Structures are given as structure tokens and as C-alpha cells.
PDB file of all heavy atoms in Angstrom:
ATOM      1  N   GLY A   1       3.270   3.615   8.042  1.00 97.00           N
ATOM      2  CA  GLY A   1       3.842   2.539   7.247  1.00 97.00           C
ATOM      3  C   GLY A   1       3.614   2.764   5.778  1.00 97.00           C
ATOM      4  O   GLY A   1       3.032   3.772   5.360  1.00 97.00           O
ATOM      5  N   ASP A   2       4.053   1.808   4.983  1.00 97.00           N
ATOM      6  CA  ASP A   2       3.959   1.914   3.527  1.00 97.00           C
ATOM      7  C   ASP A   2       3.921   0.494   2.975  1.00 97.00           C
ATOM      8  O   ASP A   2       4.749  -0.343   3.360  1.00 97.00           O
ATOM      9  CB  ASP A   2       5.180   2.670   2.986  1.00 97.00           C
ATOM     10  CG  ASP A   2       5.042   3.042   1.509  1.00 97.00           C
ATOM     11  OD1 ASP A   2       4.600   2.173   0.728  1.00 97.00           O
ATOM     12  OD2 ASP A   2       5.390   4.174   1.155  1.00 97.00           O
ATOM     13  N   ILE A   3       2.968   0.207   2.093  1.00 98.00           N
ATOM     14  CA  ILE A   3       2.844  -1.162   1.592  1.00 98.00           C
ATOM     15  C   ILE A   3       4.055  -1.592   0.766  1.00 98.00           C
ATOM     16  O   ILE A   3       4.266  -2.785   0.556  1.00 98.00           O
ATOM     17  CB  ILE A   3       1.546  -1.362   0.782  1.00 98.00           C
ATOM     18  CG1 ILE A   3       1.548  -0.552  -0.516  1.00 98.00           C
ATOM     19  CG2 ILE A   3       0.322  -1.045   1.623  1.00 98.00           C
ATOM     20  CD1 ILE A   3       0.414  -0.925  -1.462  1.00 98.00           C
ATOM     21  N   THR A   4       4.854  -0.644   0.311  1.00 98.00           N
ATOM     22  CA  THR A   4       6.067  -1.007  -0.429  1.00 98.00           C
ATOM     23  C   THR A   4       7.238  -1.303   0.500  1.00 98.00           C
ATOM     24  O   THR A   4       8.313  -1.677   0.038  1.00 98.00           O
ATOM     25  CB  THR A   4       6.468   0.111  -1.415  1.00 98.00           C
ATOM     26  OG1 THR A   4       6.848   1.275  -0.682  1.00 98.00           O
ATOM     27  CG2 THR A   4       5.323   0.448  -2.355  1.00 98.00           C
ATOM     28  N   GLN A   5       7.024  -1.132   1.797  1.00 97.00           N
ATOM     29  CA  GLN A   5       8.066  -1.410   2.797  1.00 97.00           C
ATOM     30  C   GLN A   5       7.536  -2.460   3.765  1.00 97.00           C
ATOM     31  O   GLN A   5       6.921  -2.135   4.788  1.00 97.00           O
ATOM     32  CB  GLN A   5       8.445  -0.117   3.532  1.00 97.00           C
ATOM     33  CG  GLN A   5       8.988   0.965   2.612  1.00 97.00           C
ATOM     34  CD  GLN A   5       9.197   2.293   3.330  1.00 97.00           C
ATOM     35  OE1 GLN A   5       9.186   2.362   4.555  1.00 97.00           O
ATOM     36  NE2 GLN A   5       9.369   3.349   2.560  1.00 97.00           N
ATOM     37  N   PRO A   6       7.734  -3.731   3.449  1.00 97.00           N
ATOM     38  CA  PRO A   6       7.100  -4.804   4.227  1.00 97.00           C
ATOM     39  C   PRO A   6       7.444  -4.791   5.710  1.00 97.00           C
ATOM     40  O   PRO A   6       6.636  -5.223   6.538  1.00 97.00           O
ATOM     41  CB  PRO A   6       7.610  -6.083   3.541  1.00 97.00           C
ATOM     42  CG  PRO A   6       8.764  -5.673   2.696  1.00 97.00           C
ATOM     43  CD  PRO A   6       8.518  -4.255   2.313  1.00 97.00           C
ATOM     44  N   GLN A   7       8.607  -4.272   6.070  1.00 97.00           N
ATOM     45  CA  GLN A   7       8.993  -4.245   7.482  1.00 97.00           C
ATOM     46  C   GLN A   7       8.106  -3.314   8.291  1.00 97.00           C
ATOM     47  O   GLN A   7       8.097  -3.384   9.525  1.00 97.00           O
ATOM     48  CB  GLN A   7      10.471  -3.845   7.624  1.00 97.00           C
ATOM     49  CG  GLN A   7      10.783  -2.391   7.323  1.00 97.00           C
ATOM     50  CD  GLN A   7      10.978  -2.096   5.837  1.00 97.00           C
ATOM     51  OE1 GLN A   7      10.695  -2.940   4.987  1.00 97.00           O
ATOM     52  NE2 GLN A   7      11.484  -0.912   5.537  1.00 97.00           N
ATOM     53  N   THR A   8       7.344  -2.439   7.636  1.00 96.00           N
ATOM     54  CA  THR A   8       6.464  -1.508   8.356  1.00 96.00           C
ATOM     55  C   THR A   8       5.056  -2.056   8.540  1.00 96.00           C
ATOM     56  O   THR A   8       4.214  -1.388   9.161  1.00 96.00           O
ATOM     57  CB  THR A   8       6.369  -0.162   7.608  1.00 96.00           C
ATOM     58  OG1 THR A   8       5.646  -0.346   6.369  1.00 96.00           O
ATOM     59  CG2 THR A   8       7.747   0.411   7.312  1.00 96.00           C
ATOM     60  N   LEU A   9       4.761  -3.249   8.023  1.00 98.00           N
ATOM     61  CA  LEU A   9       3.384  -3.731   7.990  1.00 98.00           C
ATOM     62  C   LEU A   9       2.995  -4.575   9.191  1.00 98.00           C
ATOM     63  O   LEU A   9       1.804  -4.729   9.481  1.00 98.00           O
ATOM     64  CB  LEU A   9       3.131  -4.523   6.701  1.00 98.00           C
ATOM     65  CG  LEU A   9       3.297  -3.731   5.398  1.00 98.00           C
ATOM     66  CD1 LEU A   9       3.025  -4.628   4.193  1.00 98.00           C
ATOM     67  CD2 LEU A   9       2.385  -2.517   5.377  1.00 98.00           C
ATOM     68  N   ASP A  10       3.967  -5.148   9.896  1.00 97.00           N
ATOM     69  CA  ASP A  10       3.627  -6.041  11.012  1.00 97.00           C
ATOM     70  C   ASP A  10       2.791  -5.327  12.060  1.00 97.00           C
ATOM     71  O   ASP A  10       1.791  -5.871  12.559  1.00 97.00           O
ATOM     72  CB  ASP A  10       4.903  -6.598  11.647  1.00 97.00           C
ATOM     73  CG  ASP A  10       5.609  -7.604  10.753  1.00 97.00           C
ATOM     74  OD1 ASP A  10       5.004  -8.039   9.749  1.00 97.00           O
ATOM     75  OD2 ASP A  10       6.757  -7.964  11.051  1.00 97.00           O
ATOM     76  N   ALA A  11       3.183  -4.125  12.415  1.00 97.00           N
ATOM     77  CA  ALA A  11       2.451  -3.383  13.446  1.00 97.00           C
ATOM     78  C   ALA A  11       1.039  -3.052  12.992  1.00 97.00           C
ATOM     79  O   ALA A  11       0.098  -3.042  13.800  1.00 97.00           O
ATOM     80  CB  ALA A  11       3.203  -2.104  13.801  1.00 97.00           C
ATOM     81  N   ALA A  12       0.869  -2.783  11.696  1.00 97.00           N
ATOM     82  CA  ALA A  12      -0.457  -2.431  11.174  1.00 97.00           C
ATOM     83  C   ALA A  12      -1.411  -3.620  11.196  1.00 97.00           C
ATOM     84  O   ALA A  12      -2.623  -3.457  11.384  1.00 97.00           O
ATOM     85  CB  ALA A  12      -0.327  -1.896   9.751  1.00 97.00           C
ATOM     86  N   MET A  13      -0.887  -4.835  11.017  1.00 98.00           N
ATOM     87  CA  MET A  13      -1.735  -6.030  10.945  1.00 98.00           C
ATOM     88  C   MET A  13      -1.921  -6.714  12.296  1.00 98.00           C
ATOM     89  O   MET A  13      -2.839  -7.512  12.468  1.00 98.00           O
ATOM     90  CB  MET A  13      -1.138  -7.031   9.950  1.00 98.00           C
ATOM     91  CG  MET A  13      -0.836  -6.460   8.584  1.00 98.00           C
ATOM     92  SD  MET A  13      -2.258  -5.587   7.857  1.00 98.00           S
ATOM     93  CE  MET A  13      -1.488  -4.768   6.459  1.00 98.00           C
ATOM     94  N   GLU A  14      -1.073  -6.412  13.249  1.00 97.00           N
ATOM     95  CA  GLU A  14      -1.125  -7.097  14.541  1.00 97.00           C
ATOM     96  C   GLU A  14      -2.492  -6.924  15.212  1.00 97.00           C
ATOM     97  O   GLU A  14      -2.977  -5.816  15.410  1.00 97.00           O
ATOM     98  CB  GLU A  14      -0.032  -6.549  15.472  1.00 97.00           C
ATOM     99  CG  GLU A  14       0.018  -7.262  16.820  1.00 97.00           C
ATOM    100  CD  GLU A  14       1.095  -6.702  17.723  1.00 97.00           C
ATOM    101  OE1 GLU A  14       1.797  -5.747  17.308  1.00 97.00           O
ATOM    102  OE2 GLU A  14       1.231  -7.200  18.847  1.00 97.00           O
ATOM    103  N   GLY A  15      -3.127  -8.030  15.530  1.00 97.00           N
ATOM    104  CA  GLY A  15      -4.413  -8.002  16.221  1.00 97.00           C
ATOM    105  C   GLY A  15      -5.604  -7.684  15.345  1.00 97.00           C
ATOM    106  O   GLY A  15      -6.734  -7.618  15.842  1.00 97.00           O
ATOM    107  N   ALA A  16      -5.401  -7.490  14.057  1.00 98.00           N
ATOM    108  CA  ALA A  16      -6.512  -7.137  13.160  1.00 98.00           C
ATOM    109  C   ALA A  16      -7.367  -8.362  12.854  1.00 98.00           C
ATOM    110  O   ALA A  16      -6.840  -9.439  12.542  1.00 98.00           O
ATOM    111  CB  ALA A  16      -5.985  -6.523  11.868  1.00 98.00           C
ATOM    112  N   TRP A  17      -8.673  -8.189  12.940  1.00 98.00           N
ATOM    113  CA  TRP A  17      -9.605  -9.232  12.481  1.00 98.00           C
ATOM    114  C   TRP A  17      -9.706  -9.219  10.957  1.00 98.00           C
ATOM    115  O   TRP A  17      -9.723 -10.250  10.310  1.00 98.00           O
ATOM    116  CB  TRP A  17     -10.983  -9.002  13.100  1.00 98.00           C
ATOM    117  CG  TRP A  17     -12.046  -9.893  12.530  1.00 98.00           C
ATOM    118  CD1 TRP A  17     -12.306 -11.183  12.893  1.00 98.00           C
ATOM    119  CD2 TRP A  17     -12.973  -9.571  11.480  1.00 98.00           C
ATOM    120  NE1 TRP A  17     -13.338 -11.697  12.128  1.00 98.00           N
ATOM    121  CE2 TRP A  17     -13.757 -10.722  11.259  1.00 98.00           C
ATOM    122  CE3 TRP A  17     -13.201  -8.432  10.709  1.00 98.00           C
ATOM    123  CZ2 TRP A  17     -14.773 -10.754  10.294  1.00 98.00           C
ATOM    124  CZ3 TRP A  17     -14.202  -8.460   9.750  1.00 98.00           C
ATOM    125  CH2 TRP A  17     -14.979  -9.609   9.552  1.00 98.00           C
ATOM    126  N   GLY A  18      -9.776  -8.015  10.388  1.00 98.00           N
ATOM    127  CA  GLY A  18      -9.915  -7.876   8.943  1.00 98.00           C
ATOM    128  C   GLY A  18      -8.971  -6.825   8.396  1.00 98.00           C
ATOM    129  O   GLY A  18      -8.568  -5.903   9.113  1.00 98.00           O
ATOM    130  N   VAL A  19      -8.617  -6.988   7.121  1.00 98.00           N
ATOM    131  CA  VAL A  19      -7.751  -6.031   6.429  1.00 98.00           C
ATOM    132  C   VAL A  19      -8.352  -5.736   5.064  1.00 98.00           C
ATOM    133  O   VAL A  19      -8.774  -6.647   4.347  1.00 98.00           O
ATOM    134  CB  VAL A  19      -6.313  -6.573   6.263  1.00 98.00           C
ATOM    135  CG1 VAL A  19      -5.494  -5.658   5.351  1.00 98.00           C
ATOM    136  CG2 VAL A  19      -5.627  -6.702   7.618  1.00 98.00           C
ATOM    137  N   ILE A  20      -8.404  -4.454   4.730  1.00 98.00           N
ATOM    138  CA  ILE A  20      -8.846  -4.030   3.394  1.00 98.00           C
ATOM    139  C   ILE A  20      -7.684  -3.300   2.739  1.00 98.00           C
ATOM    140  O   ILE A  20      -7.200  -2.291   3.260  1.00 98.00           O
ATOM    141  CB  ILE A  20     -10.073  -3.106   3.476  1.00 98.00           C
ATOM    142  CG1 ILE A  20     -11.242  -3.847   4.135  1.00 98.00           C
ATOM    143  CG2 ILE A  20     -10.467  -2.614   2.088  1.00 98.00           C
ATOM    144  CD1 ILE A  20     -12.432  -2.962   4.450  1.00 98.00           C
ATOM    145  N   ASN A  21      -7.241  -3.824   1.600  1.00 98.00           N
ATOM    146  CA  ASN A  21      -6.123  -3.192   0.892  1.00 98.00           C
ATOM    147  C   ASN A  21      -6.652  -2.289  -0.215  1.00 98.00           C
ATOM    148  O   ASN A  21      -7.018  -2.750  -1.294  1.00 98.00           O
ATOM    149  CB  ASN A  21      -5.185  -4.246   0.293  1.00 98.00           C
ATOM    150  CG  ASN A  21      -3.990  -3.590  -0.389  1.00 98.00           C
ATOM    151  OD1 ASN A  21      -3.459  -2.596   0.106  1.00 98.00           O
ATOM    152  ND2 ASN A  21      -3.589  -4.127  -1.526  1.00 98.00           N
ATOM    153  N   LEU A  22      -6.702  -1.010   0.095  1.00 98.00           N
ATOM    154  CA  LEU A  22      -7.139   0.008  -0.873  1.00 98.00           C
ATOM    155  C   LEU A  22      -5.962   0.793  -1.429  1.00 98.00           C
ATOM    156  O   LEU A  22      -6.114   1.566  -2.367  1.00 98.00           O
ATOM    157  CB  LEU A  22      -8.097   0.981  -0.191  1.00 98.00           C
ATOM    158  CG  LEU A  22      -9.580   0.889  -0.543  1.00 98.00           C
ATOM    159  CD1 LEU A  22     -10.399   1.760   0.389  1.00 98.00           C
ATOM    160  CD2 LEU A  22      -9.825   1.294  -1.986  1.00 98.00           C
ATOM    161  N   ALA A  23      -4.790   0.620  -0.831  1.00 97.00           N
ATOM    162  CA  ALA A  23      -3.622   1.382  -1.285  1.00 97.00           C
ATOM    163  C   ALA A  23      -3.241   0.944  -2.694  1.00 97.00           C
ATOM    164  O   ALA A  23      -3.290  -0.235  -3.030  1.00 97.00           O
ATOM    165  CB  ALA A  23      -2.447   1.173  -0.332  1.00 97.00           C
ATOM    166  N   GLY A  24      -2.877   1.906  -3.493  1.00 96.00           N
ATOM    167  CA  GLY A  24      -2.459   1.591  -4.860  1.00 96.00           C
ATOM    168  C   GLY A  24      -2.161   2.859  -5.621  1.00 96.00           C
ATOM    169  O   GLY A  24      -2.454   3.964  -5.154  1.00 96.00           O
ATOM    170  N   TYR A  25      -1.579   2.669  -6.792  1.00 95.00           N
ATOM    171  CA  TYR A  25      -1.283   3.809  -7.659  1.00 95.00           C
ATOM    172  C   TYR A  25      -2.345   3.840  -8.739  1.00 95.00           C
ATOM    173  O   TYR A  25      -2.298   3.091  -9.714  1.00 95.00           O
ATOM    174  CB  TYR A  25       0.119   3.683  -8.254  1.00 95.00           C
ATOM    175  CG  TYR A  25       0.549   4.908  -9.032  1.00 95.00           C
ATOM    176  CD1 TYR A  25       0.633   6.152  -8.422  1.00 95.00           C
ATOM    177  CD2 TYR A  25       0.864   4.824 -10.386  1.00 95.00           C
ATOM    178  CE1 TYR A  25       1.009   7.281  -9.129  1.00 95.00           C
ATOM    179  CE2 TYR A  25       1.261   5.946 -11.109  1.00 95.00           C
ATOM    180  CZ  TYR A  25       1.323   7.164 -10.470  1.00 95.00           C
ATOM    181  OH  TYR A  25       1.695   8.286 -11.179  1.00 95.00           O
ATOM    182  N   ARG A  26      -3.361   4.703  -8.555  1.00 92.00           N
ATOM    183  CA  ARG A  26      -4.509   4.789  -9.464  1.00 92.00           C
ATOM    184  C   ARG A  26      -4.260   5.922 -10.449  1.00 92.00           C
ATOM    185  O   ARG A  26      -4.709   7.044 -10.265  1.00 92.00           O
ATOM    186  CB  ARG A  26      -5.790   5.030  -8.642  1.00 92.00           C
ATOM    187  CG  ARG A  26      -7.074   5.095  -9.478  1.00 92.00           C
ATOM    188  CD  ARG A  26      -8.294   5.154  -8.592  1.00 92.00           C
ATOM    189  NE  ARG A  26      -8.410   6.391  -7.827  1.00 92.00           N
ATOM    190  CZ  ARG A  26      -9.130   7.452  -8.202  1.00 92.00           C
ATOM    191  NH1 ARG A  26      -9.781   7.447  -9.353  1.00 92.00           N
ATOM    192  NH2 ARG A  26      -9.186   8.517  -7.423  1.00 92.00           N
ATOM    193  N   GLU A  27      -3.556   5.608 -11.490  1.00 93.00           N
ATOM    194  CA  GLU A  27      -3.190   6.600 -12.500  1.00 93.00           C
ATOM    195  C   GLU A  27      -2.968   5.899 -13.839  1.00 93.00           C
ATOM    196  O   GLU A  27      -2.986   4.679 -13.922  1.00 93.00           O
ATOM    197  CB  GLU A  27      -1.901   7.325 -12.079  1.00 93.00           C
ATOM    198  CG  GLU A  27      -2.095   8.807 -11.748  1.00 93.00           C
ATOM    199  CD  GLU A  27      -2.432   9.672 -12.957  1.00 93.00           C
ATOM    200  OE1 GLU A  27      -2.570   9.126 -14.083  1.00 93.00           O
ATOM    201  OE2 GLU A  27      -2.557  10.887 -12.790  1.00 93.00           O
ATOM    202  N   PHE A  28      -2.791   6.703 -14.886  1.00 93.00           N
ATOM    203  CA  PHE A  28      -2.473   6.166 -16.209  1.00 93.00           C
ATOM    204  C   PHE A  28      -1.127   6.682 -16.716  1.00 93.00           C
ATOM    205  O   PHE A  28      -0.819   6.547 -17.892  1.00 93.00           O
ATOM    206  CB  PHE A  28      -3.580   6.512 -17.211  1.00 93.00           C
ATOM    207  CG  PHE A  28      -4.810   5.673 -17.031  1.00 93.00           C
ATOM    208  CD1 PHE A  28      -5.864   6.114 -16.237  1.00 93.00           C
ATOM    209  CD2 PHE A  28      -4.919   4.432 -17.632  1.00 93.00           C
ATOM    210  CE1 PHE A  28      -6.992   5.344 -16.056  1.00 93.00           C
ATOM    211  CE2 PHE A  28      -6.046   3.645 -17.476  1.00 93.00           C
ATOM    212  CZ  PHE A  28      -7.087   4.101 -16.674  1.00 93.00           C
ATOM    213  N   TRP A  29      -0.360   7.265 -15.803  1.00 94.00           N
ATOM    214  CA  TRP A  29       0.983   7.710 -16.181  1.00 94.00           C
ATOM    215  C   TRP A  29       1.883   7.699 -14.968  1.00 94.00           C
ATOM    216  O   TRP A  29       1.460   7.994 -13.845  1.00 94.00           O
ATOM    217  CB  TRP A  29       0.954   9.130 -16.755  1.00 94.00           C
ATOM    218  CG  TRP A  29       2.337   9.602 -17.137  1.00 94.00           C
ATOM    219  CD1 TRP A  29       3.032   9.288 -18.271  1.00 94.00           C
ATOM    220  CD2 TRP A  29       3.206  10.437 -16.362  1.00 94.00           C
ATOM    221  NE1 TRP A  29       4.277   9.874 -18.256  1.00 94.00           N
ATOM    222  CE2 TRP A  29       4.412  10.589 -17.096  1.00 94.00           C
ATOM    223  CE3 TRP A  29       3.083  11.073 -15.132  1.00 94.00           C
ATOM    224  CZ2 TRP A  29       5.476  11.344 -16.630  1.00 94.00           C
ATOM    225  CZ3 TRP A  29       4.148  11.824 -14.662  1.00 94.00           C
ATOM    226  CH2 TRP A  29       5.330  11.959 -15.418  1.00 94.00           C
ATOM    227  N   ALA A  30       3.120   7.311 -15.201  1.00 95.00           N
ATOM    228  CA  ALA A  30       4.166   7.430 -14.186  1.00 95.00           C
ATOM    229  C   ALA A  30       5.471   7.691 -14.920  1.00 95.00           C
ATOM    230  O   ALA A  30       5.720   7.116 -15.988  1.00 95.00           O
ATOM    231  CB  ALA A  30       4.279   6.156 -13.352  1.00 95.00           C
ATOM    232  N   ARG A  31       6.274   8.570 -14.367  1.00 94.00           N
ATOM    233  CA  ARG A  31       7.564   8.860 -14.996  1.00 94.00           C
ATOM    234  C   ARG A  31       8.406   7.585 -15.098  1.00 94.00           C
ATOM    235  O   ARG A  31       9.068   7.330 -16.105  1.00 94.00           O
ATOM    236  CB  ARG A  31       8.303   9.927 -14.192  1.00 94.00           C
ATOM    237  CG  ARG A  31       9.546  10.451 -14.901  1.00 94.00           C
ATOM    238  CD  ARG A  31      10.181  11.583 -14.115  1.00 94.00           C
ATOM    239  NE  ARG A  31      11.188  12.283 -14.890  1.00 94.00           N
ATOM    240  CZ  ARG A  31      11.872  13.320 -14.446  1.00 94.00           C
ATOM    241  NH1 ARG A  31      11.640  13.789 -13.218  1.00 94.00           N
ATOM    242  NH2 ARG A  31      12.774  13.915 -15.214  1.00 94.00           N
ATOM    243  N   ASP A  32       8.344   6.772 -14.044  1.00 95.00           N
ATOM    244  CA  ASP A  32       8.997   5.473 -14.029  1.00 95.00           C
ATOM    245  C   ASP A  32       7.905   4.412 -13.975  1.00 95.00           C
ATOM    246  O   ASP A  32       7.214   4.264 -12.956  1.00 95.00           O
ATOM    247  CB  ASP A  32       9.913   5.368 -12.807  1.00 95.00           C
ATOM    248  CG  ASP A  32      10.618   4.020 -12.728  1.00 95.00           C
ATOM    249  OD1 ASP A  32      10.387   3.166 -13.606  1.00 95.00           O
ATOM    250  OD2 ASP A  32      11.396   3.826 -11.775  1.00 95.00           O
TER     251      ASP A  32
END
């Protein structure tokens, strides 16, 4: 899945007691 594609997240969260969101763009430059 991908956090930028919400339709892919249901399966990842199903039945989870806890969720840790570490995904992110950790940078100081992006072309866009």
C-alpha cells in the first residue's frame, strides 16, 4: 500500500490494535 493512496490502507489497518505512522518525505528538497 501507499499512504498517498487511501484505497490501499483499509487492509493495512484491519484488525490492528495500534498504528504508528512513520511514513513521510524526510528531505529538504523536492523537484515538485
